[in-house]
Amino acid sequence: MDAPVTTETLTLVEAGRRAALQEMRRDPRVWVLGEDVARGGLFGQYRGFLDAFGPDRVVSTPISESTIMGAGLGAALVGTRPIIEMRIFDFVMCAMDELVNQIAKIRYMFGGQAKPAVVVRMPHGIWRNSAAQHSQTLESWFAHLPGVVVAAPSTPADTAGLLVAAIRSDDPVLFFDPKNLFGVTGPVPAEIDPLPFGRAREVRNGNDLTLVAWSAILPDCETACDALAAEGIGVDLIDLRTLWPWDEEAVAASVARTGRLLVVHEAVQAGGFGAEVVARTIERLGPASVKAARRLGAPRVPVPFSPPLEEVVKVTAPKIVAAAKATLGAPAAPR
Amino acid sequence: MDAPVTTETLTLVEAGRRAALQEMRRDPRVWVLGEDVARGGLFGQYRGFLDAFGPDRVVSTPISESTIMGAGLGAALVGTRPIIEMRIFDFVMCAMDELVNQIAKIRYMFGGQAKPAVVVRMPHGIWRNSAAQHSQTLESWFAHLPGVVVAAPSTPADTAGLLVAAIRSDDPVLFFDPKNLFGVTGPVPAEIDPLPFGRAREVRNGNDLTLVAWSAILPDCETACDALAAEGIGVDLIDLRTLWPWDEEAVAASVARTGRLLVVHEAVQAGGFGAEVVARTIERLGPASVKAARRLGAPRVPVPFSPPLEEVVKVTAPKIVAAAKATLGAPAAPR
Amino acid sequence: MADTAPTGHNTRRWLDLYRTMVRIRAFEETALAAHAAGQMPGPLHVSIGQEAVAAGVCLNLRADDRITSNHRGHGHAIAKGAGIAGMMEELFGRAGGHCGGKGGSMHIADFSVGMLGANGVVAGGIPIAVGAAQGLRLLGSDAIVACFFGDGAINRGPFLEGLNWAALYRLPVLFVCEDNGVAAFTRAGEVTAGAGAVARAEAIGVPAESVDGNDAAAVDAAAGRLVASVRRGDGPHLLHLRTFRLLGHTSTDKAAWRPEQEVAEARTRDPIARLRARLIEAGAADATLDAIAAEARAEMAAARDAALAAAWPDPATAWTDVLDTPAPEAA
Amino acid sequence: MADTAPTGHNTRRWLDLYRTMVRIRAFEETALAAHAAGQMPGPLHVSIGQEAVAAGVCLNLRADDRITSNHRGHGHAIAKGAGIAGMMEELFGRAGGHCGGKGGSMHIADFSVGMLGANGVVAGGIPIAVGAAQGLRLLGSDAIVACFFGDGAINRGPFLEGLNWAALYRLPVLFVCEDNGVAAFTRAGEVTAGAGAVARAEAIGVPAESVDGNDAAAVDAAAGRLVASVRRGDGPHLLHLRTFRLLGHTSTDKAAWRPEQEVAEARTRDPIARLRARLIEAGAADATLDAIAAEARAEMAAARDAALAAAWPDPATAWTDVLDTPAPEAA
Ligand SMILES: Cc1ncc(C[n+]2csc(CCOP(=O)(O)OP(=O)(O)O)c2C)c(N)n1
Ligand SMILES: Cc1ncc(C[n+]2csc(CCOP(=O)(O)OP(=O)(O)O)c2C)c(N)n1
Ligand SMILES: [Mg+2]
Ligand SMILES: [Mg+2]
């Protein structure tokens, strides 16, 4: 471990908490608003914040998503730096005008006058059989939306580093907290430095296949890598960490070496960000330099409640292993 | 022309009007709701409807997008078939919970009990320098959203046929009216048959390059094809017409023949549906069967107001010609 | 509101109410225990202490009337007549659930009895309810729609939009604001400005009244009046029912932030105990009431056992009920 | 409201109001003519006939106060002090526009004078305004925010949410409902249930009052009182101003559906003519007022000419002002 001595092992949710805490201590313009945040937040992300910063900087709000989002923007326009907590990603759908038409556009539309320095935190993904309205992963939408940075970390350290960067960013950052990984642990430095957007993390090294992923699916990818390694298959596993900007150089360099690309995401495969990764890599390298390029995502169905049904639609380690083997073995027509 | 004798030349907006008129005459459960629809709609899509069907079936609503969308759903649940008119696509952002969390999910989430038989009409795209909040093309989002059909026609006949199909569909259909093409004319049969979803239209035939497009960019693609034809380059131009389901067979068959794929859309390139078309085609055919596969879309910036700036970010016929040539000539690293 | 004087007619209605309320209570207690035992997946929001709302309103609805509900919707569904077996199987994610296991607790629907669905989004049912009412009128029906939501929902935009809409088109909707004074972990008073749901509704042109939502007979009486008015074509009304959420927000939340005394005090206003006292006063026998309660508990235990023994959904059903036009990957 | 008795002080204020109003009128008439001549791209929404609203409210704001506006926002911007050259260039899409030509008429903003932007989305400015007020308070400022929106906006969810929010946190916001009785092609009365903006605001705990919005002096007086109260920390207020949109929804809309007589009658209540009459009554000379109007017209004509001669944006600016982290294709 090359982590500094002042490193602690923390859960992912606690890592995010520490990052927000550090930045709120550092900069009095940083504050947080959202439902129940004064009571620590739904996942304890803001535990103790009310006592530390008081009710003007830790604002529990009504169930008014449009205004949570829009007020965060307004407060940024006068020079504060709000952390907009959306509780669960799916509720962002109640605040899309504010996010899409206002936050994402305002800097450009006003010719640079506006500084929409907000972080929008959105715990997303499948978690404890919460069914169709509480399980969505639509991060690819926002990679397609001009004006926003899209972060989707998978480890405590990346959560901490990216959240610090997000809070310090003058551009709006959409921060996808992986709710299913809130409990995973890992080292986090006591003093958290910002992690630059757009730099992938090399998770595993291998020469047979490039596996690209982000957010909550990473642990399954690692499990799949273990299984593949046991069969002698070496995987280059890349965690993009941010989807915009994204590290297309790292992916292209890896695929140039392995010749084979598999992109895996929890989100629905059709129209997911995996398509962008495949398309862009093919554009960069040319099809002739690539032996296979494929994706594995969820089928285009809402997330069902019942565990056996959820299992069917969910991307899992065995499915990743199978997709990896198909990518290695059968470059043509997968289905 | 193999059109029947009872064909008229109509504008695209009038073709849509005729389709809605025909279906409202045919089925008393069909009705329309939206702002100003009783006054004919912003584009005259519903001209004369109030007189023909009365205020219970042609409902001018408050500026309450959430409820326009949600009430349409509720009315469908008891057995009517609403046409939900959203005026301009961008305002759909005010109704995303109703669209994404309710309309798209309800049939599945309730195990088939609900029949969300709505058509959501959303005039979209760049039109007359309307700037960032009135010019968006986010159709790719909805291809990624389980539970909805996505239609994006480009001709009067396709608008008519797909709108009839949409009104008769028991599944929710997101109907992207191409507002910049409302004035283009073409033949429309007096009796409009439903056009099946998922079948592309072969616009031009050629063997050098497969060009895939949809919605408002089609005329520019045709102009580009003319220019390329003049240089002896034969283009297979395919209008997908619907993005979900989409005719991946037609695309794959064409690319298998031409070996080269260019997908063009007005929407932002990053994360656009072009990525899906490229990725899926590569998955089906394998990279080895493809000499080049690329996309041309807008850069990832909001749409600016000023005409010279809009021109910079807009996909145009000359840019399509250039991209086509690059696809033909330079299979590797485009930028 | 003072207790209504007991009469034979009332006693019969009250027994109906009582039966519905104890069935709701028994259903939810059974579900809670199963959830605590790790037998039930997903989140579970129970309405224990709020049963008079569902029972009192739905007793005044016809079979062809519709309701929409929220995340805390078991009571609304049961009171509207949803099949218990299908509800219990749904909570356990089984094939025989009303939604084939695809919905779970937060997405219970039983269209066969006019229950158009619980909703995982606060205020999500409001636009749906007004649209359903508009659709019913277009079809020539005189059925009405009752729309249940919590105090938290009145701070979301659709509350304004939906009430304005219903008033404008004079739609047959009864809005029912189930005010338990709390939204998740925050008190209603801390997030709601002004005089509350009734004042807001009236300002939007929707006549409204407020009733003790833990007094089942009072709820029944008020709902009866308002439902009749709505059905007559007077346009929408809002019924504001003050109640108390005796347990936490979800089955795993202890609501430890609430003073114990507050909850203890609220327990003395338990709507089931109150209705029972009133029934006894009106001449009902303890044994009768005990039997109803025991029957309810037995019904729910049996439903639980049946659900636990029931088949899981066929994995192939993960692909159904989504689009008539099949997706490529589903083919 | 009866006309206030003229005094020397009032005359000076009224002259200020008059100047602002004729400048707004002249700006918009100049823009309309250029649009009709095909010189101006994009949609154009003018506020002709509504100038007293912008002028009367903004005369009571400090330079560091902020405003948010809607699609019909030229008047609000001018009254708040936005530079005319930058506004005119913006309408013509030129490089020297406040937004570098990226916004156009519907997205005018001039942060240097606290004008936080017009908005192409009805009610879009409401959440932004309340957040700005919250941010200002956090920063220790005593600046306030005036939030302009039309009668159409009170039927969108953010109206409810934003007012509740402002009342809850006692934010320094003056909500200004500019009620011209129409939203696009539909009359307010046909889509708004209940007694309207004032009743709704009061029900949400926001004190409100209604004033003749075509009486500039009355608007000024009411705004003065309410702004003082807001600044004092009394929390938000709503000012409802009844006015009339003399022209169509956009520059290309003739509003042919309105009875001619209705418009003719409204013209007799033109706020500029009324204020002028009042000024004359208070002793102002026709020549003074004519000179102010002529000066305004000249100012706007000169601004138009300058804008027409001004440089188009450098195409490279299409790539700027979007993300500090450059996008790959912008690199
Ligand atoms: C739009 C939205 N925001 C937030 C949530 C999370 N949430 C679920 S229930 C709840 C509290 C709702 O309170 P209330 O409406 O009073 O109903 P109660 O739980 O008290 O019955 C919250 C905040 C949600 N489901 N939907
Ligand atoms: C959310 C939304 N819906 C619809 C529109 C289209 N639209 C632009 S202005 C307008 C009318 C607005 O009326 P009002 O708020 O009264 O302002 P006015 O035009 O009368 O000044 C409409 C419907 C929009 N811009 N935003
Ligand atoms: Mg509550
Ligand atoms: Mg208006």
Side-chain angles (χ1 to χ4, degrees):
Chain A
M1 299 263 82
D2 58 347
V5 281
T6 54
T7 282
E8 256 185 283
T9 297
L10 302 178
T11 60
L12 190 146
V13 71
E14 177 64 12
R17 182 178 161 278
R18 295 287 178 93
L21 200 58
Q22 168 184 304
E23 293 306 295
M24 284 183 68
R25 285 200 180 119
R26 191 186 55 79
D27 185 346
R29 298 168 306 166
V30 180
W31 60 294
V32 57
L33 70 164
E35 296 155 17
D36 293 317
V37 295
R39 212 166 293 284
L42 190 59
F43 302 96
Q45 312 100 301
Y46 308 103
R47 193 172 34 82
F49 278 40
L50 179 66
D51 288 343
F53 305 108
D56 281 348
R57 290 181 68 200
V58 183
V59 179
S60 268
T61 69
I63 307 173
S64 302
E65 278 77 8
S66 294
T67 305
I68 296 171
M69 189 74 83
L73 170 58
L77 296 187
V78 299
T80 71
R81 307 184 74 89
I83 301 172
I84 301 172
E85 172 58 56
M86 293 306 296
R87 192 178 191 110
I88 296 280
F89 166 75
D90 310 69
F91 309 149
V92 173
M93 294 303 112
C94 305
M96 286 293 272
D97 173 56
E98 292 71 21
L99 179 51
V100 173
N101 290 332
Q102 315 292 340
I103 287 176
K105 310 256 183 299
I106 198 167
R107 179 175 167 196
Y108 190 84
M109 197 165 67
F110 292 167
Q113 295 179 80
K115 198 161 75 178
V118 301
V119 184
V120 186
R121 293 188 71 179
M122 308 176 289
H124 78 152
I126 291 174
W127 180 63
R128 299 191 185 171
N129 304 100
S130 298
Q133 291 180 334
H134 285 67
S135 302
Q136 289 172 94
T137 42
L138 295 175
E139 68 277 9
S140 77
W141 282 15
F142 303 97
H144 184 53
L145 179 70
V148 295
V149 171
V150 181
S154 74
T155 67
D158 290 351
T159 294
L162 288 172
L163 190 54
V164 166
I167 292 169
R168 296 184 191 178
S169 165
D170 282 351
D171 283 313
V173 179
L174 307 192
F175 202 91
F176 288 89
D177 287 291
K179 64 170 127 68
N180 202 38
L181 304 186
F182 273 159
V184 305
T185 55
V188 178
E191 193 167 319
I192 305 161
D193 286 327
L195 199 62
F197 302 134
R199 296 241 195 97
R201 181 171 64 96
E202 180 81 28
V203 185
R204 301 281 179 105
N205 296 306
N207 293 318
D208 300 319
L209 173 74
T210 301
L211 184 58
V212 176
W214 56 88
S215 193
I217 204 67
L218 252 295
D220 293 288
C221 289
E222 294 197 66
T223 306
C225 286
D226 290 341
L228 291 162
E231 298 187 43
I233 298 166
V235 176
D236 232 30
L237 174 58
I238 296 175
D239 178 355
L240 288 184
R241 302 200 286 200
T242 62
L243 298 193
W244 202 272
W246 70 281
D247 199 343
E248 50 176 87
E249 285 76 15
V251 173
S254 172
V255 177
R257 187 161 44 80
T258 66
R260 294 175 192 275
L261 169 64
L262 174 64
V263 193
V264 173
H265 48 64
E266 179 179 321
V268 164
Q269 178 169 315
F273 194 71
E276 177 68 27
V277 176
V278 167
R280 188 78 192 123
T281 305
I282 292 285
E283 284 171 341
R284 284 180 70 110
L285 302 178
S289 323
V290 180
K291 292 200 262 320
R294 300 181 46 163
R295 300 163 296 157
L296 176 65
R300 196 172 177 270
V301 301
V303 176
F305 164 68
S306 182
L309 297 182
E310 199 189 76
E311 198 64 20
V312 169
V313 305
K314 214 161 71 174
V315 173
T316 58
K319 292 179 195 170
I320 298 169
V321 169
K325 289 186 180 171
T327 310
L328 287 162
R335 279 184 243 264
Chain B
M1 301 263 85
D2 57 347
V5 282
T6 53
T7 281
E8 257 186 283
T9 296
L10 301 178
T11 61
L12 191 146
V13 71
E14 177 64 11
R17 181 178 161 277
R18 296 286 176 95
L21 198 59
Q22 169 183 305
E23 293 306 294
M24 284 183 69
R25 286 199 179 120
R26 190 187 57 78
D27 184 346
R29 299 168 306 167
V30 180
W31 59 294
V32 56
L33 71 165
E35 296 155 16
D36 293 316
V37 295
R39 213 167 291 284
L42 190 59
F43 302 95
Q45 313 99 302
Y46 308 103
R47 193 170 36 80
F49 279 40
L50 178 66
D51 288 344
F53 304 109
D56 281 349
R57 291 180 69 199
V58 183
V59 179
S60 268
T61 69
I63 307 174
S64 301
E65 277 77 7
S66 294
T67 305
I68 296 171
M69 190 75 83
L73 171 59
L77 296 187
V78 299
T80 71
R81 308 184 75 89
I83 300 171
I84 300 172
E85 172 58 55
M86 294 305 296
R87 191 178 192 111
I88 296 279
F89 166 74
D90 309 69
F91 309 148
V92 173
M93 294 303 112
C94 305
M96 285 293 271
D97 173 56
E98 292 71 21
L99 179 51
V100 173
N101 289 332
Q102 315 293 340
I103 287 176
K105 308 258 183 301
I106 197 166
R107 179 175 166 193
Y108 190 83
M109 197 166 67
F110 292 168
Q113 294 179 81
K115 198 161 75 178
V118 300
V119 183
V120 186
R121 292 188 72 179
M122 309 175 289
H124 79 151
I126 291 175
W127 180 64
R128 299 191 185 171
N129 303 101
S130 299
Q133 290 179 336
H134 285 68
S135 302
Q136 289 172 94
T137 41
L138 295 174
E139 68 277 9
S140 77
W141 282 14
F142 303 96
H144 185 54
L145 179 70
V148 294
V149 170
V150 181
S154 73
T155 67
D158 290 352
T159 295
L162 287 172
L163 190 54
V164 166
I167 293 169
R168 296 185 191 178
S169 164
D170 281 352
D171 283 314
V173 179
L174 306 192
F175 202 91
F176 289 90
D177 287 291
K179 64 169 128 68
N180 202 38
L181 304 186
F182 271 159
V184 306
T185 54
V188 177
E191 193 168 318
I192 305 161
D193 286 328
L195 199 62
F197 302 135
R199 296 242 192 96
R201 181 171 64 96
E202 180 81 28
V203 185
R204 300 282 179 105
N205 296 306
N207 293 318
D208 299 320
L209 173 73
T210 301
L211 185 58
V212 175
W214 55 89
S215 194
I217 204 66
L218 252 294
D220 293 289
C221 289
E222 294 197 66
T223 305
C225 285
D226 290 341
L228 292 162
E231 297 188 42
I233 298 166
V235 176
D236 232 30
L237 174 58
I238 296 175
D239 178 355
L240 288 184
R241 303 200 285 201
T242 62
L243 299 192
W244 202 272
W246 69 281
D247 199 343
E248 50 177 86
E249 286 76 15
V251 173
S254 173
V255 176
R257 188 158 46 79
T258 66
R260 295 177 191 274
L261 169 65
L262 174 64
V263 193
V264 173
H265 48 65
E266 179 180 321
V268 165
Q269 178 168 316
F273 194 71
E276 176 67 28
V277 175
V278 166
R280 189 78 193 123
T281 304
I282 292 284
E283 284 171 341
R284 284 180 69 111
L285 301 178
S289 325
V290 180
K291 291 199 263 316
R294 301 181 47 162
R295 299 163 295 156
L296 175 66
R300 196 173 177 271
V301 301
V303 176
F305 164 68
S306 182
L309 297 182
E310 198 189 76
E311 197 64 19
V312 170
V313 306
K314 215 160 70 174
V315 173
T316 58
K319 292 179 195 169
I320 298 169
V321 169
K325 288 186 180 171
T327 310
L328 287 161
R335 275 186 246 264
Chain C
M1 175 176 278
D3 283 0
T4 320
T7 68
H9 169 71
N10 275 346
T11 310
R12 276 193 305 280
R13 276 189 89 80
W14 295 346
L15 278 173
D16 271 0
L17 287 171
Y18 187 77
R19 182 173 294 106
T20 301
M21 288 165 69
V22 297
R23 289 179 73 231
I24 296 171
R25 177 77 52 101
F27 180 90
E28 295 199 317
E29 284 180 346
T30 306
L32 270 179
H35 200 276
Q39 296 170 313
M40 187 178 283
L44 184 72
H45 303 84
V46 298
S47 63
I48 287 177
Q50 309 178 193
E51 297 87 348
V53 169
V57 171
C58 292
L59 187 58
N60 293 283
L61 299 180
R62 295 196 319 222
D64 66 340
D65 289 336
R66 312 296 208 275
I67 67 169
T68 66
S69 172
N70 62 0
H71 56 285
R72 203 176 299 286
H74 309 135
H76 311 143
I78 292 173
K80 189 64 176 68
I84 295 297
M87 285 188 61
M88 202 60 98
E89 284 210 38
E90 192 58 39
L91 264 61
F92 283 101
R94 305 305 162 111
H98 288 303
C99 309
K102 286 174 180 166
S105 161
M106 210 161 27
H107 305 293
I108 290 267
D110 185 354
F111 278 44
S112 72
V113 299
M115 189 335 185
L116 299 185
N119 209 307
V121 178
V122 168
I126 296 178
I128 297 173
V130 301
Q134 205 158 8
L136 286 168
R137 184 161 66 195
L138 199 63
L139 296 171
S141 163
D142 72 338
I144 76 158
V145 181
C147 171
F148 291 92
F149 51 84
D151 48 281
I154 75 167
N155 294 325
R156 274 207 63 228
F159 174 80
L160 168 74
E161 294 192 5
L163 267 68
N164 180 60
W165 188 288
L168 210 57
Y169 304 114
R170 290 182 76 78
L171 296 175
V173 183
L174 178 65
F175 295 103
V176 182
C177 179
E178 183 164 1
D179 183 353
N180 58 13
V182 69
F185 319 124
T186 299
R187 290 187 195 278
E190 289 168 45
V191 287
T192 313
V198 168
R200 291 182 186 191
E202 285 172 345
I204 308 170
V206 176
E209 63 187 83
S210 191
V211 165
D212 179 351
N214 276 17
D215 179 345
V219 174
D220 174 32
R225 258 185 294 112
L226 299 187
V227 164
S229 170
V230 167
R231 200 182 309 280
R232 226 175 13 241
D234 297 346
H237 286 70
L238 182 139
L239 180 56
H240 175 248
L241 299 172
R242 302 180 306 277
T243 181
F244 193 90
R245 191 191 74 196
L246 284 171
L247 303 182
H249 173 50
T250 61
S251 61
T252 53
D253 167 36
K254 301 265 174 270
W257 55 275
R258 298 196 302 200
E260 269 179 46
Q261 208 204 315
E262 179 188 354
V263 182
E265 210 175 271
R267 286 202 179 282
T268 67
R269 298 190 307 271
D270 185 310
I272 295 183
R274 279 173 69 184
L275 184 60
R276 188 181 169 106
R278 192 194 287 250
L279 275 161
I280 300 282
E281 210 185 306
D286 265 319
T288 313
L289 302 178
D290 287 345
I292 293 173
E295 198 184 320
R297 281 193 295 271
E299 176 191 12
M300 301 310 164
R304 174 203 55 213
D305 294 345
L308 277 169
W312 291 101
D314 179 344
T317 63
W319 306 93
T320 60
D321 301 324
V322 58
L323 280 188
D324 284 337
T325 314
E329 67 261 62
Chain D
M1 175 177 277
D3 283 0
T4 320
T7 70
H9 170 71
N10 274 346
T11 310
R12 277 193 305 279
R13 275 189 90 80
W14 293 347
L15 277 173
D16 271 0
L17 286 173
Y18 186 78
R19 184 173 293 106
T20 302
M21 288 165 68
V22 296
R23 288 178 75 233
I24 296 171
R25 177 77 52 100
F27 180 89
E28 294 199 319
E29 284 179 345
T30 305
L32 269 179
H35 201 278
Q39 296 170 313
M40 186 178 284
L44 184 73
H45 302 84
V46 298
S47 64
I48 287 177
Q50 309 179 191
E51 296 87 349
V53 168
V57 170
C58 292
L59 187 59
N60 293 283
L61 299 180
R62 294 195 322 222
D64 67 338
D65 289 336
R66 311 297 206 277
I67 66 169
T68 66
S69 171
N70 62 359
H71 57 285
R72 203 176 298 288
H74 308 135
H76 312 143
I78 292 172
K80 189 64 177 66
I84 294 296
M87 284 189 62
M88 201 62 96
E89 283 211 38
E90 192 58 39
L91 264 60
F92 283 100
R94 304 306 162 112
H98 288 304
C99 308
K102 287 174 179 165
S105 160
M106 212 163 24
H107 305 293
I108 291 266
D110 185 355
F111 277 45
S112 72
V113 298
M115 186 343 183
L116 299 185
N119 209 306
V121 178
V122 168
I126 296 177
I128 295 173
V130 301
Q134 205 158 9
L136 286 167
R137 183 160 68 194
L138 199 64
L139 296 172
S141 163
D142 71 338
I144 75 159
V145 181
C147 171
F148 291 92
F149 50 84
D151 48 281
I154 76 168
N155 294 325
R156 275 206 64 227
F159 174 80
L160 168 75
E161 294 191 5
L163 267 68
N164 181 60
W165 188 288
L168 209 56
Y169 304 115
R170 290 182 75 81
L171 296 175
V173 183
L174 178 64
F175 295 103
V176 182
C177 179
E178 183 164 0
D179 183 353
N180 58 13
V182 69
F185 319 124
T186 298
R187 291 188 193 278
E190 289 168 43
V191 287
T192 313
V198 169
R200 291 182 186 190
E202 285 173 346
I204 308 169
V206 176
E209 62 187 83
S210 192
V211 165
D212 179 350
N214 276 17
D215 178 345
V219 173
D220 175 32
R225 260 185 292 111
L226 299 187
V227 163
S229 170
V230 167
R231 200 181 310 281
R232 225 173 17 239
D234 297 345
H237 287 70
L238 181 138
L239 180 56
H240 174 248
L241 299 172
R242 301 180 307 276
T243 181
F244 194 91
R245 190 192 76 196
L246 285 171
L247 303 183
H249 172 51
T250 61
S251 61
T252 53
D253 168 36
K254 303 263 173 271
W257 54 275
R258 297 195 303 200
E260 269 179 47
Q261 208 204 316
E262 179 187 355
V263 182
E265 209 175 274
R267 286 203 178 279
T268 67
R269 297 191 306 274
D270 185 310
I272 296 184
R274 280 173 68 184
L275 184 60
R276 188 181 169 106
R278 192 194 287 251
L279 275 161
I280 301 282
E281 210 184 306
D286 266 319
T288 313
L289 303 178
D290 287 346
I292 293 173
E295 198 184 321
R297 280 192 296 271
E299 176 192 12
M300 301 309 164
R304 175 204 54 212
D305 294 345
L308 276 169
W312 291 101
D314 179 344
T317 64
W319 305 92
T320 60
D321 302 324
V322 58
L323 280 187
D324 284 337
T325 315
E329 66 262 62

